[in-house]
Amino acid sequence: MPGEQLMYIGGRWIPSQDGLWLDVYNPATGAVLARVPSACARDVDAACQAARTAFDAGVWPAMAERARARILFDAANLVRERRQQLAMLEVTNSGKPMQDALADVDEAAYLLEYYAGWITKLSGEVLPVGPDAMSLVLREPMGVVAAIVPWNYPLLMAMQKVAPALAAGCTVILKPAEQTPMTALELPEIFELAGLPSGVFNVVTGDGPGAGEPLVRHPMVDKISFTGSLEVGKRIQRIAADSVKRVTLELGGKSPNIIFSDADLERAIPGTCLGVFWNQGEVCSATARVYVEDGIFDRVVELIAQEAKKVRLGSGLDPATTMGPLISQSQKRRVEAYIQSAQDDGASLVVQGALPVNPELSGGFYVAPTVFVGAAKHSKIMMEEVFGPVMTLTRFTTESEVIDKANDTPYGLAAAVWTRQIDRGLRVGKAIRAGTVWINDSQPAPSEAPWGGYKQSGFGRELGRQGLEEFLETKHLFIRLH
Ligand code: ADP
């Protein structure tokens, strides 16, 4: 019998006031893992009241900086102490391989430390406004933050928002994705043990329409930090406009990966595969549109095919697994529909990897690595985000041609460029309209560096100093001296 997990509002563990529940699955087997409250608008209201009261009473924003930092450092230590348990929950709930889940937990702990460090270093400015006055620029917390996160990196995405929001002095309502609430529900105890006052951090579980949207509409919320689909992002921006809420949107991508003929293929081939197959391709920055210079195209197709065939699908708990299942049955169907559409639009299948044979995994949501050549320029597979392990390989001849191709997308989250000529790497990197460009790598997102999109991949930045500033207001204090 799967266990019941309550949600956490105002320092108390509670069910939904409507008495409704959501089943949470293990995507490796299709079995129900647990059930969590399906929050309704009244629950969201309670969470917003708790976060608002904690903010307005100053229990967190007015606490001494070093005391606030201490709490986040202690929380980081608690995350590290619970590393195995958190990773195990992440694997069973999200499907990702154990080594990836462990890396996510480590980075979540580091994010708490990184932003804890900022608390005692953040400063304002004094501006030159003449001899008779003084202008001070203060950085103040924005207030109550709604953090709405997706299911592909449940703990990490939550922490990318929660750590800087808390460091800024904000209070937080976290809404994990309905598919993956399990690690988010471990955070309240961690923060409580670290000494965070009640009401400062709340977790509301539920789906988008039932819990996410009331949060976005709630008048007590000052700032929404959202990571998810383009459609929901647009909807949130529209709703937020009614009360001029501050919004950060981290949306989808259809990122290019460019391999020049002088690239070091020993790095470029595994790097390119990782760029599309890592985390089952459920990565907003997946570099799924692969462009290869004409002279090496056939060779690269062959090498990518060999590399893709090495991927071992299975349960994330099996140490031999390098790729887990997709998150849900509906995501599996969606990805399979994209694979079908690519074929219908004339692309040729070069590789389709093997599915797991273990009968215990027959109910899991597996899709094998899939590689196409010859996809038509503006076909769905070239334009839309698949969020699955599907790659297209396309030829190019000149640098300017490939820059045009790379930019031929409504998105602009990331790009990868593989070349031994650093001047070319930098030139192409500057010409691509995307928030992150990797040269001779794909996918690193260091917590110290800003992360976010150009164009319809969203706006605002997470991580780094910029990720903290998203949760700060700027105040000007003017003082007349004479
Ligand atoms: P995905 O396609 O990755 O599931 P979504 O954008 O649907 O992405 O979901 C990302 C997060 O946004 C989840 O936590 C989900 O519950 C939430 N969400 C979905 N719809 C809404 C909505 N209308 N308002 C607020 N949050 C929503």
Side-chain angles (χ1 to χ4, degrees):
M1 181 57 199
E4 265 171 20
Q5 279 279 339
L6 299 175
M7 59 185 172
Y8 185 79
I9 295 175
R12 290 171 48 231
W13 291 97
I14 50 172
S16 167
Q17 293 187 44
D18 277 359
L20 297 177
W21 297 86
L22 278 172
D23 283 338
V24 178
Y25 293 88
N26 176 348
T29 61
V32 176
L33 190 64
R35 56 180 208 156
V36 299
S38 178
C40 61
R42 285 185 294 155
D43 301 314
V44 168
D45 183 53
C48 292
Q49 300 271 0
R52 184 83 255 166
T53 305
F55 186 82
D56 291 345
V59 291
W60 184 243
M63 188 186 284
E65 288 77 12
R66 60 176 66 186
R68 270 201 276 137
R70 183 73 262 152
I71 289 173
L72 295 196
F73 280 123
D74 287 351
N77 288 337
L78 287 159
V79 169
R80 288 197 204 289
E81 277 172 24
R82 297 171 182 211
R83 181 173 188 258
Q84 288 295 337
Q85 178 211 345
L86 287 165
M88 183 63 104
L89 267 181
E90 201 76 316
V91 170
T92 47
N93 189 187
S94 76
K96 66 177 66 195
M98 180 54 93
Q99 63 270 25
D100 293 352
L102 286 166
D104 286 2
V105 175
D106 291 343
E107 201 61 17
Y110 177 67
L111 276 165
L112 281 163
E113 290 166 349
Y114 174 78
Y115 283 111
W118 269 113
I119 298 176
T120 49
K121 281 113 200 147
L122 200 66
S123 60
E125 287 175 88
V126 182
L127 301 177
V129 289
D132 299 331
M134 191 182 256
S135 276
L136 305 183
V137 179
L138 309 184
R139 308 308 309 274
E140 297 187 336
M142 247 171 206
V144 174
V145 170
I148 302 178
V149 299
W151 41 258
N152 56 344
Y153 292 87
L155 181 66
L156 198 54
M157 294 278 169
M159 204 55 93
Q160 280 181 208
K161 299 177 190 309
V162 171
L166 291 177
C170 294
T171 58
V172 178
I173 302 138
L174 169 65
K175 197 205 84 62
E178 52 273 38
Q179 298 87 345
T180 53
M182 302 310 287
T183 43
L185 288 171
E186 294 298 303
L187 294 178
E189 189 179 284
I190 287 170
F191 282 129
E192 236 179 53
L193 287 170
L196 195 74
S198 69
V200 175
F201 177 70
N202 307 272
V203 183
V204 169
T205 53
D207 63 14
E213 199 153 318
L215 202 47
V216 172
R217 292 187 188 281
H218 204 284
M220 288 180 176
V221 170
D222 297 296
K223 159 90 191 187
I224 300 156
S225 179
F226 171 80
T227 301
S229 62
L230 175 58
E231 278 320 304
V232 174
K234 285 184 192 169
R235 186 172 171 80
I236 287 177
Q237 193 179 354
R238 272 187 225 113
I239 296 169
D242 282 341
S243 52
V244 198
K245 286 191 175 66
R246 284 89 181 104
V247 182
T248 298
L249 299 177
E250 211 268 76
L251 309 175
K254 187 73 185 178
S255 298
N257 178 99
I258 301 168
I259 309 179
F260 284 98
S261 56
D262 68 336
D264 175 357
L265 292 185
E266 294 205 354
R267 288 158 72 198
I269 299 299
T272 297
C273 287
L274 177 134
V276 190
F277 302 145
W278 183 43
N279 212 51
Q280 305 74 243
E282 295 170 328
V283 181
C284 48
S285 55
T287 35
R289 285 186 296 139
V290 177
Y291 296 100
V292 185
E293 196 167 346
D294 203 21
I296 57 165
F297 187 81
D298 294 337
R299 184 143 165 259
V300 167
V301 172
E302 207 181 299
L303 292 172
I304 293 269
Q306 283 170 18
E307 189 75 16
K309 284 181 192 150
K310 288 189 206 156
V311 173
R312 267 285 301 271
L313 259 79
S315 157
L317 296 175
D318 178 349
T321 294
T322 56
M323 186 191 283
L326 298 184
I327 193 68
S328 62
Q329 187 65 262
S330 68
Q331 184 62 15
K332 175 174 148 79
R333 289 206 191 99
R334 197 172 159 262
V335 173
E336 286 169 346
Y338 273 113
I339 292 172
Q340 187 59 50
S341 86
Q343 286 170 303
D344 295 346
D345 290 340
S348 314
L349 194 59
V350 190
V351 182
Q352 187 146 48
L355 292 170
V357 285
N358 180 350
E360 281 172 29
L361 305 181
S362 60
F365 314 130
Y366 298 91
V367 173
T370 307
V371 180
F372 287 105
V373 294
K377 195 172 168 197
H378 290 135
S379 57
K380 276 174 73 158
I381 201 70
M382 292 294 277
M383 300 306 288
E384 296 180 19
E385 181 171 46
V386 173
F387 236 62
V390 185
M391 180 193 297
T392 57
L393 290 161
T394 305
R395 271 173 214 274
F396 74 89
T397 355
T398 67
E399 187 179 307
S400 65
E401 173 202 347
V402 79
I403 289 169
D404 287 347
K405 284 183 160 149
N407 282 331
D408 187 10
T409 168
Y411 292 114
L413 188 57
V417 183
W418 302 87
T419 174
R420 282 198 176 92
Q421 289 177 48
I422 191 62
D423 52 345
R424 172 148 74 187
L426 292 171
R427 209 163 49 230
V428 175
K430 282 185 71 180
I432 292 177
R433 300 202 60 225
T436 295
V437 181
W438 295 288
I439 299 173
N440 294 328
D441 209 334
S442 184
Q443 304 307 321
S447 293
E448 300 83 355
W451 177 259
Y454 279 35
K455 303 195 273 183
Q456 293 190 34
S457 289
F459 53 82
R461 291 293 178 269
E462 298 203 286
L463 304 178
R465 185 193 172 111
Q466 290 82 353
L468 179 63
E469 287 176 349
E470 296 286 321
F471 299 104
L472 296 169
E473 292 281 12
T474 299
K475 177 175 284 173
H476 171 213
L477 267 187
F478 180 91
I479 307 142
R480 172 69 54 206
L481 297 175
H482 299 287

